[in-house]
């Protein structure tokens, strides 16, 4: 089955700096890659996703890049704000299959 | 409802007792998932329901774990003879059921087994 690895496990940045979280996957059949943000005491919420037919997607301060050849994808947050502090999870799912495989999470701390 | 609802939000039980966790998915969502999130860990897939199809139980860690979904809507996750290692947050998610459809998560049930 699919194996998703995520790093770093913790990331501390100064407000206004950029943050990058990276994930790798093992199954070349994976074609959908969502990113979730989980705030304390809440369930994960989708913040951005990318499908395998594109290499990059942006939504305001967040962007995701995908390298299918290397089987890795990354989340980029620019101009970080304290409210960006949370745990971020990447996930991958193979084509025609609804089981999501999640990374182990990255705890992002944005220092004001 | 507006989102996925899970109850109870917190459950404390004694080792050896059975517990039932409930999930109300978003209306119209045909797919429902259960995940387990241990402290500081990622989301571990437990079970997946899609419409009237047989559920994918491949993630259930032992035969003490079971789940059902009545009428294609509400789901209950049952853990029998709970053990301390069952302590975790149990998350439910639902989606429209298409390939790669967005999963919407509930806030979870925090289970503590003493």
């Amino acid at each position: 089955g699919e194996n998703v690895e995520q790093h770093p496990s913790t990331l501390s940045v100064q407000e206004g700096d950029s943050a990058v979280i990276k994930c790798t996957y093992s199954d070349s059949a994976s074609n959908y890659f969502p990113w979730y943000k989980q705030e304390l005491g809440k369930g994960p919420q989708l913040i951005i996703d990318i499908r395998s037919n594109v290499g990059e997607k942006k939504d305001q301060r967040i962007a995701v890049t995908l390298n299918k050849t290397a089987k890795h994808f990354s989340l980029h947050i620019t101009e970080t704000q304290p409210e960006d502090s949370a745990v971020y999870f990447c996930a991958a799912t193979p084509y025609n299959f609804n089981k999501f495989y999640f990374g182990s999470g990255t705890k992002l701390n944005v220092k004001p | 409802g507006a989102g996925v609802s899970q109850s109870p939000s917190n459950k404390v039980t004694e080792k050896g007792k059975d517990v039932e966790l409930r999930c109300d998915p978003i209306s119209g969502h045909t797919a429902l998932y259960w995940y387990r999130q241990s402290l500081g860990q990622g989301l571990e897939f437990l079970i997946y329901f899609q419409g009237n199809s047989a559920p994918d139980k491949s993630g259930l860690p032992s035969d003490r774990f079971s789940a059902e979904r009545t009428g294609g809507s509400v789901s209950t996750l049952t853990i029998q003879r709970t053990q301390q290692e069952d302590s975790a947050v149990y998350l439910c998610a639902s989606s429209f059921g298409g390939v790669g459809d967005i999963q919407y998560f509930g806030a979870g049930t925090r289970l503590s087994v003493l």
Side-chain angles (χ1 to χ4, degrees), chain A residues 1-5 24-30 33 71 92:
Chain A
E2 175 64 277
N3 180 44
V4 178
E5 295 191 353
T24 61
Y25 62 99
S26 60
D27 190 344
S28 57
S30 288
F33 308 91
K71 296 198 191 70

mmCIF file of all heavy atoms in Angstrom, chain A residues 1-5 24-30 33 71 92:
data_model
loop_
_atom_site.group_PDB
_atom_site.id
_atom_site.type_symbol
_atom_site.label_atom_id
_atom_site.label_comp_id
_atom_site.label_asym_id
_atom_site.label_seq_id
_atom_site.Cartn_x
_atom_site.Cartn_y
_atom_site.Cartn_z
ATOM 1 N N GLY A 1 0.806 -1.206 0.000
ATOM 2 C CA GLY A 1 0.000 0.000 0.000
ATOM 3 C C GLY A 1 0.844 1.262 0.000
ATOM 4 O O GLY A 1 2.060 1.213 0.030
ATOM 5 N N GLU A 2 0.162 2.382 -0.005
ATOM 6 C CA GLU A 2 0.826 3.684 -0.037
ATOM 7 C C GLU A 2 1.490 3.976 1.307
ATOM 8 O O GLU A 2 0.997 3.580 2.369
ATOM 9 C CB GLU A 2 -0.236 4.754 -0.373
ATOM 10 C CG GLU A 2 0.258 6.190 -0.338
ATOM 11 C CD GLU A 2 1.308 6.482 -1.388
ATOM 12 O OE1 GLU A 2 2.496 6.177 -1.112
ATOM 13 O OE2 GLU A 2 0.960 7.006 -2.466
ATOM 14 N N ASN A 3 2.628 4.674 1.251
ATOM 15 C CA ASN A 3 3.333 5.129 2.455
ATOM 16 C C ASN A 3 3.672 6.604 2.276
ATOM 17 O O ASN A 3 4.357 6.973 1.319
ATOM 18 C CB ASN A 3 4.605 4.311 2.663
ATOM 19 C CG ASN A 3 5.351 4.764 3.900
ATOM 20 O OD1 ASN A 3 4.747 4.992 4.939
ATOM 21 N ND2 ASN A 3 6.656 4.907 3.799
ATOM 22 N N VAL A 4 3.161 7.437 3.165
ATOM 23 C CA VAL A 4 3.402 8.879 3.071
ATOM 24 C C VAL A 4 4.289 9.306 4.233
ATOM 25 O O VAL A 4 3.965 9.028 5.391
ATOM 26 C CB VAL A 4 2.073 9.661 3.102
ATOM 27 C CG1 VAL A 4 2.335 11.159 3.062
ATOM 28 C CG2 VAL A 4 1.186 9.242 1.935
ATOM 29 N N GLU A 5 5.388 9.945 3.920
ATOM 30 C CA GLU A 5 6.284 10.459 4.944
ATOM 31 C C GLU A 5 6.278 11.980 4.912
ATOM 32 O O GLU A 5 6.295 12.573 3.823
ATOM 33 C CB GLU A 5 7.697 9.908 4.739
ATOM 34 C CG GLU A 5 7.768 8.399 4.930
ATOM 35 C CD GLU A 5 9.191 7.885 4.983
ATOM 36 O OE1 GLU A 5 10.115 8.686 4.742
ATOM 37 O OE2 GLU A 5 9.372 6.690 5.238
ATOM 38 N N THR A 24 6.646 12.904 1.001
ATOM 39 C CA THR A 24 6.946 11.970 -0.078
ATOM 40 C C THR A 24 5.934 10.832 -0.028
ATOM 41 O O THR A 24 5.368 10.531 1.026
ATOM 42 C CB THR A 24 8.367 11.401 0.051
ATOM 43 O OG1 THR A 24 8.474 10.692 1.301
ATOM 44 C CG2 THR A 24 9.411 12.503 0.016
ATOM 45 N N TYR A 25 5.708 10.226 -1.174
ATOM 46 C CA TYR A 25 4.789 9.099 -1.237
ATOM 47 C C TYR A 25 5.441 7.981 -2.030
ATOM 48 O O TYR A 25 6.420 8.203 -2.752
ATOM 49 C CB TYR A 25 3.432 9.512 -1.826
ATOM 50 C CG TYR A 25 3.473 10.035 -3.247
ATOM 51 C CD1 TYR A 25 3.144 9.218 -4.326
ATOM 52 C CD2 TYR A 25 3.812 11.362 -3.516
ATOM 53 C CE1 TYR A 25 3.164 9.693 -5.615
ATOM 54 C CE2 TYR A 25 3.837 11.841 -4.804
ATOM 55 C CZ TYR A 25 3.511 11.018 -5.854
ATOM 56 O OH TYR A 25 3.534 11.501 -7.147
ATOM 57 N N SER A 26 4.904 6.787 -1.902
ATOM 58 C CA SER A 26 5.567 5.632 -2.510
ATOM 59 C C SER A 26 4.813 5.054 -3.711
ATOM 60 O O SER A 26 5.430 4.448 -4.593
ATOM 61 C CB SER A 26 5.746 4.526 -1.464
ATOM 62 O OG SER A 26 4.486 4.109 -0.962
ATOM 63 N N ASP A 27 3.500 5.240 -3.751
ATOM 64 C CA ASP A 27 2.690 4.602 -4.788
ATOM 65 C C ASP A 27 2.522 5.536 -5.991
ATOM 66 O O ASP A 27 1.868 6.580 -5.879
ATOM 67 C CB ASP A 27 1.315 4.233 -4.212
ATOM 68 C CG ASP A 27 0.501 3.350 -5.138
ATOM 69 O OD1 ASP A 27 0.844 3.266 -6.356
ATOM 70 O OD2 ASP A 27 -0.484 2.754 -4.674
ATOM 71 N N SER A 28 3.096 5.169 -7.088
ATOM 72 C CA SER A 28 3.030 6.012 -8.284
ATOM 73 C C SER A 28 1.607 6.166 -8.809
ATOM 74 O O SER A 28 1.328 7.023 -9.638
ATOM 75 C CB SER A 28 3.930 5.449 -9.387
ATOM 76 O OG SER A 28 3.563 4.129 -9.696
ATOM 77 N N ALA A 29 0.683 5.318 -8.322
ATOM 78 C CA ALA A 29 -0.717 5.426 -8.728
ATOM 79 C C ALA A 29 -1.447 6.546 -7.995
ATOM 80 O O ALA A 29 -2.562 6.914 -8.387
ATOM 81 C CB ALA A 29 -1.441 4.101 -8.485
ATOM 82 N N SER A 30 -0.858 7.097 -6.956
ATOM 83 C CA SER A 30 -1.514 8.193 -6.225
ATOM 84 C C SER A 30 -1.663 9.395 -7.130
ATOM 85 O O SER A 30 -0.729 9.763 -7.856
ATOM 86 C CB SER A 30 -0.718 8.563 -4.980
ATOM 87 O OG SER A 30 -0.836 7.556 -4.001
ATOM 88 N N PHE A 33 -3.696 14.816 -3.800
ATOM 89 C CA PHE A 33 -2.857 15.131 -2.652
ATOM 90 C C PHE A 33 -3.435 16.328 -1.906
ATOM 91 O O PHE A 33 -3.170 17.483 -2.250
ATOM 92 C CB PHE A 33 -1.426 15.433 -3.118
ATOM 93 C CG PHE A 33 -0.856 14.360 -3.999
ATOM 94 C CD1 PHE A 33 -0.994 14.427 -5.374
ATOM 95 C CD2 PHE A 33 -0.197 13.268 -3.450
ATOM 96 C CE1 PHE A 33 -0.493 13.436 -6.203
ATOM 97 C CE2 PHE A 33 0.311 12.271 -4.258
ATOM 98 C CZ PHE A 33 0.167 12.354 -5.634
ATOM 99 N N LYS A 71 8.113 11.828 -6.710
ATOM 100 C CA LYS A 71 7.063 11.433 -5.751
ATOM 101 C C LYS A 71 7.150 12.254 -4.480
ATOM 102 O O LYS A 71 7.204 11.712 -3.364
ATOM 103 C CB LYS A 71 7.151 9.933 -5.424
ATOM 104 C CG LYS A 71 6.904 8.996 -6.588
ATOM 105 C CD LYS A 71 6.590 7.600 -6.063
ATOM 106 C CE LYS A 71 6.600 6.569 -7.153
ATOM 107 N NZ LYS A 71 7.944 6.292 -7.680
ATOM 108 N N ALA A 92 -2.254 11.356 0.591
ATOM 109 C CA ALA A 92 -2.217 10.909 -0.800
ATOM 110 C C ALA A 92 -3.243 9.808 -0.972
ATOM 111 O O ALA A 92 -3.504 9.030 -0.054
ATOM 112 C CB ALA A 92 -0.827 10.394 -1.158
#
